[in-house]
Amino acid sequence: MCVQGCMEAVRATAARAGLSRRGFFGRAGAAAAGFAAMAVEPTVVAAAPRSFERVVDLTHTLTPAFPGFFGAPLIELERRADFRKDGYNMQDWRLTEHAGTHLDAPIHFAETGASVEDIPADTLVVPLAVIDVAEKADADADYLLSRDDLVAWESRHGRLPAGCCVAMHSGWGRLATEDPARFVGRDVDGTLHFPGIAPEAATWLLKERDVIGLAVDTLSLDHGPSSDFKTHAIWLPAGRWGLENVANLDKVPAAGATLVVGLPKVKDATGAPVRLLALI
Amino acid sequence: MCVQGCMEAVRATAARAGLSRRGFFGRAGAAAAGFAAMAVEPTVVAAAPRSFERVVDLTHTLTPAFPGFFGAPLIELERRADFRKDGYNMQDWRLTEHAGTHLDAPIHFAETGASVEDIPADTLVVPLAVIDVAEKADADADYLLSRDDLVAWESRHGRLPAGCCVAMHSGWGRLATEDPARFVGRDVDGTLHFPGIAPEAATWLLKERDVIGLAVDTLSLDHGPSSDFKTHAIWLPAGRWGLENVANLDKVPAAGATLVVGLPKVKDATGAPVRLLALI
């Protein structure tokens, strides 16, 4: 939001933002080539101003007990210095890159492609579009966010903004800490059950819209029963990123927030735990 | 910056921001008690709007070769899944919390105090004040940013904004990758040489100003020769955070930027590698 009297100007600027955002994100024509083809500059060219008043934390606290795909614990801390003995506290971590609220880089699902440090900083500060499928997911734990869900969002909020992140709000976010067993949804046969994003929806976004990231409040971009991880395989090798285990998506508006992806800049990483902050 | 026609309104709002910022950061009266006393809520109350047009990355790429206090390497990656064999890439990290561009939490230098996950999200999005001491540091590798340097900044840019981060730009940032030996500055006796922040300056900021974070483009808040780490010992136990090994401080204005500290939310961590983004 903006101070009184400038909202009209911001809206007018935003209406022209299709082209300028493309410039801002430096991705005109670059999407197909992926991040690796882009210049990594600390400063980017000016774009439509964005304004905010408050911050919402979209990050779960990462603990050894946080649920994961790959068996717990996904992080272990080992004390290396103790204040009483050494005058300061310090620890080492042993960490699986894809633990807690984290980012998947293109290289996670490709033989070659951008790793974490290749993702330009300006593509980590993006418009956030939240697609609410909580009612449908409540009726079907394996729900797949569909192209129809995206079209319904656009009918209310206008075309998905250039360079945005599309986030699925399934209602699963609170289960990560309140009911981890249901969050993972493992049945007697070992199959997982939680919502995800349909491969067809990901393909449509790639072809028809200018979207840099997908985000889910569940363990995976693909829904629980998936064995071929088709949404991952479509999305990441196209030079896009994904966010998993996102928190508090019920605390942000469907449109208008800016997402900041606080991605530690670790060379050759295929993903990393992140701090996600929504600026509203 | 803002669209034409709203800068006056923003300035007028900013002029009133002393009080509202205090409200925004939720720290009126809370500073002495430290972060641990604050409620950790995903959403905070509204404040003066802030606006930006571009993003500058203040983060060094973290590699096993990145210089550190505690002997290299401070991070090691171990492959856990390979795309050609497993259909995806994934690694484990072994990491020292205080590696690369990183945050020191209050508990780093106290027996009790806020660890990483206790630091509220809204105190990770703050005004950035950059104090340029590069000329003095070029003449004296052990230079200590002084209270006079802070007063000189205020004489040009006005009072340090409430809830801000004060960053020392010493010119050392580029040395981290261009000349790591000079960045560390180890002499024949084993003493290190790089600039830092004077304990007296830190004390003055604690007592006389409302500052949430200190940042340096060197290895430590304390300068290289320090053996008592007095600036750490003054600053962190007072419920404040520190940032070390900050990059690109020559690419941001002395006043007016907003700093986003992308701090992974790891429970019980005494610090963590961060993504630092300046919104300008």
Side-chain angles (χ1 to χ4, degrees), chain B residues 72-149:
Chain B
L74 298 181
I75 186 169
E76 292 176 294
L77 275 58
E78 182 190 328
R79 183 157 295 278
R80 198 162 150 175
D82 186 294
F83 180 76
R84 282 163 296 187
K85 187 162 61 78
D86 306 298
Y88 65 102
N89 289 309
M90 194 170 74
Q91 298 162 114
D92 283 351
W93 305 350
R94 188 168 182 96
L95 175 74
T96 298
E97 292 173 328
H98 297 261
T101 303
H102 70 274
L103 179 138
D104 286 357
I107 191 70
H108 181 42
F109 258 71
E111 193 164 351
T112 60
S115 47
V116 157
E117 82 282 12
D118 296 321
I119 301 176
D122 55 308
T123 66
L124 298 174
V125 182
V126 299
L128 177 64
V130 180
I131 319 294
D132 186 348
V133 298
E135 200 168 318
K136 294 168 177 173
D138 196 45
D140 174 10
D142 296 334
Y143 186 73
L144 283 166
L145 183 147
S146 69
R147 178 179 158 177
D148 285 351
D149 292 322

Side-chain angles (χ1 to χ4, degrees), chain A residues 82-102:
Chain A
D82 187 293
F83 180 77
R84 283 163 296 187
K85 188 162 60 76
D86 306 299
Y88 65 101
N89 290 309
M90 194 170 73
Q91 298 162 112
D92 284 351
W93 304 350
R94 188 168 183 96
L95 174 75
T96 297
E97 292 173 328
H98 298 261
T101 302
H102 71 274

Side-chain angles (χ1 to χ4, degrees), chain B residues 127-200:
Chain B
L128 177 64
V130 180
I131 319 294
D132 186 348
V133 298
E135 200 168 318
K136 294 168 177 173
D138 196 45
D140 174 10
D142 296 334
Y143 186 73
L144 283 166
L145 183 147
S146 69
R147 178 179 158 177
D148 285 351
D149 292 322
L150 299 168
V151 170
W153 187 95
E154 289 197 336
S155 73
R156 292 193 62 179
H157 304 289
R159 190 179 172 92
L160 286 163
C164 75
C165 173
V166 170
M168 174 187 77
H169 167 44
S170 74
W172 251 243
R174 62 179 182 78
L175 300 177
T177 46
E178 289 178 14
D179 190 347
R182 195 172 154 222
F183 185 71
V184 176
R186 193 181 304 275
D187 68 18
V188 289
D189 299 321
T191 301
L192 308 188
H193 298 281
F194 53 77
I197 294 171
E200 296 72 21

Side-chain angles (χ1 to χ4, degrees), chain A residues 47-63:
Chain A
R50 286 172 283 178
S51 186
F52 66 97
E53 290 184 343
R54 60 193 178 95
V55 179
V56 176
D57 195 351
L58 303 184
T59 322
H60 288 293
T61 300
L62 180 54
T63 73

